Short mmCIF file of all heavy atoms in Angstrom, two decimals:
data_model
loop_
_atom_site.label_atom_id
_atom_site.label_comp_id
_atom_site.label_asym_id
_atom_site.label_seq_id
_atom_site.Cartn_x
_atom_site.Cartn_y
_atom_site.Cartn_z
N TYR J 81 93.55 30.71 -22.84
CA TYR J 81 93.55 31.35 -24.16
C TYR J 81 92.30 31.01 -24.97
O TYR J 81 92.05 31.60 -26.01
CB TYR J 81 94.79 30.91 -24.96
CG TYR J 81 94.73 29.48 -25.40
CD1 TYR J 81 94.16 29.12 -26.63
CD2 TYR J 81 95.20 28.45 -24.59
CE1 TYR J 81 94.07 27.81 -27.03
CE2 TYR J 81 95.12 27.14 -24.99
CZ TYR J 81 94.56 26.82 -26.21
OH TYR J 81 94.47 25.51 -26.59
N GLY J 82 91.53 30.04 -24.51
CA GLY J 82 90.35 29.61 -25.28
C GLY J 82 90.07 28.14 -25.07
O GLY J 82 90.51 27.55 -24.07
N ASN J 83 89.34 27.54 -25.99
CA ASN J 83 88.93 26.14 -25.85
C ASN J 83 89.94 25.17 -26.45
O ASN J 83 90.60 25.47 -27.44
CB ASN J 83 87.58 25.91 -26.53
CG ASN J 83 86.45 26.60 -25.81
OD1 ASN J 83 86.49 26.82 -24.60
ND2 ASN J 83 85.41 26.96 -26.56
N MET J 84 90.02 23.99 -25.83
CA MET J 84 90.77 22.87 -26.40
C MET J 84 89.90 21.63 -26.29
O MET J 84 89.34 21.34 -25.23
CB MET J 84 92.10 22.64 -25.68
CG MET J 84 92.87 21.44 -26.22
SD MET J 84 94.53 21.28 -25.53
CE MET J 84 95.41 22.54 -26.46
N THR J 85 89.78 20.91 -27.40
CA THR J 85 88.97 19.69 -27.43
C THR J 85 89.90 18.49 -27.47
O THR J 85 90.90 18.48 -28.20
CB THR J 85 88.03 19.70 -28.66
OG1 THR J 85 87.19 20.86 -28.59
CG2 THR J 85 87.16 18.47 -28.67
N TYR J 86 89.57 17.47 -26.67
CA TYR J 86 90.48 16.34 -26.53
C TYR J 86 89.72 15.06 -26.19
O TYR J 86 88.57 15.09 -25.75
CB TYR J 86 91.51 16.62 -25.43
CG TYR J 86 90.89 16.69 -24.04
CD1 TYR J 86 90.95 15.59 -23.18
CD2 TYR J 86 90.23 17.83 -23.60
CE1 TYR J 86 90.37 15.64 -21.92
CE2 TYR J 86 89.66 17.90 -22.35
CZ TYR J 86 89.72 16.80 -21.51
OH TYR J 86 89.14 16.84 -20.26
N CYS J 87 90.39 13.93 -26.39
CA CYS J 87 89.89 12.63 -25.95
C CYS J 87 90.75 12.16 -24.78
O CYS J 87 91.97 12.41 -24.76
CB CYS J 87 89.96 11.61 -27.07
SG CYS J 87 88.78 11.90 -28.41
N ASP J 88 90.13 11.50 -23.84
CA ASP J 88 90.82 10.96 -22.67
C ASP J 88 90.37 9.52 -22.52
O ASP J 88 89.26 9.25 -22.06
CB ASP J 88 90.46 11.80 -21.44
CG ASP J 88 91.21 11.36 -20.18
OD1 ASP J 88 91.87 10.31 -20.21
OD2 ASP J 88 91.11 12.08 -19.16
N LYS J 89 91.23 8.58 -22.94
CA LYS J 89 90.83 7.18 -22.96
C LYS J 89 91.88 6.30 -22.29
O LYS J 89 93.09 6.55 -22.37
CB LYS J 89 90.66 6.70 -24.41
CG LYS J 89 89.68 7.51 -25.24
CD LYS J 89 88.24 7.34 -24.77
CE LYS J 89 87.29 8.13 -25.66
NZ LYS J 89 85.88 8.01 -25.21
N GLY J 90 91.41 5.24 -21.63
CA GLY J 90 92.30 4.25 -21.05
C GLY J 90 92.74 4.58 -19.63
O GLY J 90 92.39 5.61 -19.07
N GLU J 91 93.57 3.69 -19.10
CA GLU J 91 94.09 3.85 -17.74
C GLU J 91 95.57 3.49 -17.72
O GLU J 91 96.06 2.77 -18.58
CB GLU J 91 93.33 2.94 -16.77
CG GLU J 91 91.84 3.29 -16.64
CD GLU J 91 91.13 2.37 -15.67
OE1 GLU J 91 91.76 1.40 -15.20
OE2 GLU J 91 89.94 2.61 -15.38
N GLY J 92 96.27 3.99 -16.71
CA GLY J 92 97.68 3.71 -16.57
C GLY J 92 98.53 4.95 -16.77
O GLY J 92 98.04 6.09 -16.68
N ASP J 93 99.83 4.74 -17.02
CA ASP J 93 100.71 5.87 -17.29
C ASP J 93 100.18 6.64 -18.50
O ASP J 93 99.65 6.05 -19.43
CB ASP J 93 102.14 5.39 -17.57
CG ASP J 93 102.84 4.90 -16.30
OD1 ASP J 93 102.37 5.24 -15.21
OD2 ASP J 93 103.82 4.16 -16.43
N VAL J 94 100.38 7.95 -18.49
CA VAL J 94 99.74 8.80 -19.48
C VAL J 94 100.63 9.02 -20.70
O VAL J 94 101.83 9.28 -20.59
CB VAL J 94 99.37 10.17 -18.87
CG1 VAL J 94 98.70 11.06 -19.92
CG2 VAL J 94 98.44 9.96 -17.68
N VAL J 95 100.00 8.94 -21.87
CA VAL J 95 100.64 9.26 -23.14
C VAL J 95 99.92 10.47 -23.73
O VAL J 95 98.70 10.45 -23.91
CB VAL J 95 100.56 8.08 -24.13
CG1 VAL J 95 101.14 8.48 -25.49
CG2 VAL J 95 101.28 6.87 -23.58
N LEU J 96 100.66 11.52 -24.00
CA LEU J 96 100.11 12.72 -24.63
C LEU J 96 100.40 12.63 -26.13
O LEU J 96 101.55 12.57 -26.54
CB LEU J 96 100.75 13.98 -24.04
CG LEU J 96 100.30 15.33 -24.61
CD1 LEU J 96 98.81 15.55 -24.37
CD2 LEU J 96 101.11 16.47 -23.98
N SER J 97 99.35 12.60 -26.94
CA SER J 97 99.49 12.37 -28.38
C SER J 97 99.42 13.67 -29.17
O SER J 97 98.48 14.45 -29.01
CB SER J 97 98.41 11.40 -28.85
OG SER J 97 98.54 11.14 -30.23
N PHE J 98 100.40 13.88 -30.04
CA PHE J 98 100.47 15.05 -30.91
C PHE J 98 100.19 14.60 -32.34
O PHE J 98 101.03 13.93 -32.96
CB PHE J 98 101.88 15.68 -30.86
CG PHE J 98 102.28 16.23 -29.52
CD1 PHE J 98 102.57 15.39 -28.45
CD2 PHE J 98 102.41 17.60 -29.34
CE1 PHE J 98 102.97 15.90 -27.22
CE2 PHE J 98 102.80 18.13 -28.12
CZ PHE J 98 103.08 17.28 -27.05
N HIS J 99 99.03 14.96 -32.87
CA HIS J 99 98.66 14.52 -34.21
C HIS J 99 99.37 15.34 -35.29
O HIS J 99 99.94 16.40 -35.05
CB HIS J 99 97.14 14.60 -34.40
CG HIS J 99 96.60 16.00 -34.36
ND1 HIS J 99 96.71 16.89 -35.41
CD2 HIS J 99 95.92 16.67 -33.38
CE1 HIS J 99 96.13 18.03 -35.09
NE2 HIS J 99 95.65 17.94 -33.87
N GLY J 100 99.28 14.84 -36.53
CA GLY J 100 99.90 15.51 -37.66
C GLY J 100 98.94 16.44 -38.39
O GLY J 100 97.85 16.76 -37.90
N ILE J 101 99.35 16.89 -39.57
CA ILE J 101 98.54 17.79 -40.38
C ILE J 101 97.28 17.04 -40.85
O ILE J 101 97.29 15.83 -40.98
CB ILE J 101 99.37 18.31 -41.58
CG1 ILE J 101 98.77 19.61 -42.15
CG2 ILE J 101 99.54 17.25 -42.63
CD1 ILE J 101 99.71 20.35 -43.09
N PHE J 102 96.18 17.76 -41.06
CA PHE J 102 94.88 17.21 -41.39
C PHE J 102 94.32 16.36 -40.25
O PHE J 102 93.46 15.52 -40.45
CB PHE J 102 94.93 16.36 -42.68
CG PHE J 102 94.97 17.16 -43.94
CD1 PHE J 102 96.19 17.43 -44.56
CD2 PHE J 102 93.82 17.67 -44.50
CE1 PHE J 102 96.25 18.18 -45.72
CE2 PHE J 102 93.86 18.41 -45.66
CZ PHE J 102 95.08 18.68 -46.28
N GLY J 103 94.83 16.59 -39.04
CA GLY J 103 94.40 15.77 -37.92
C GLY J 103 93.39 16.43 -37.01
O GLY J 103 92.59 17.25 -37.40
#
Side-chain angles (χ1 to χ4, degrees):
Y81 71 90
N83 291 332
M84 177 173 283
T85 301
Y86 67 99
C87 290
D88 183 351
K89 304 292 182 181
E91 296 180 354
D93 288 342
V94 180
V95 176
L96 179 62
S97 181
F98 296 71
H99 65 77
I101 200 166
F102 283 97

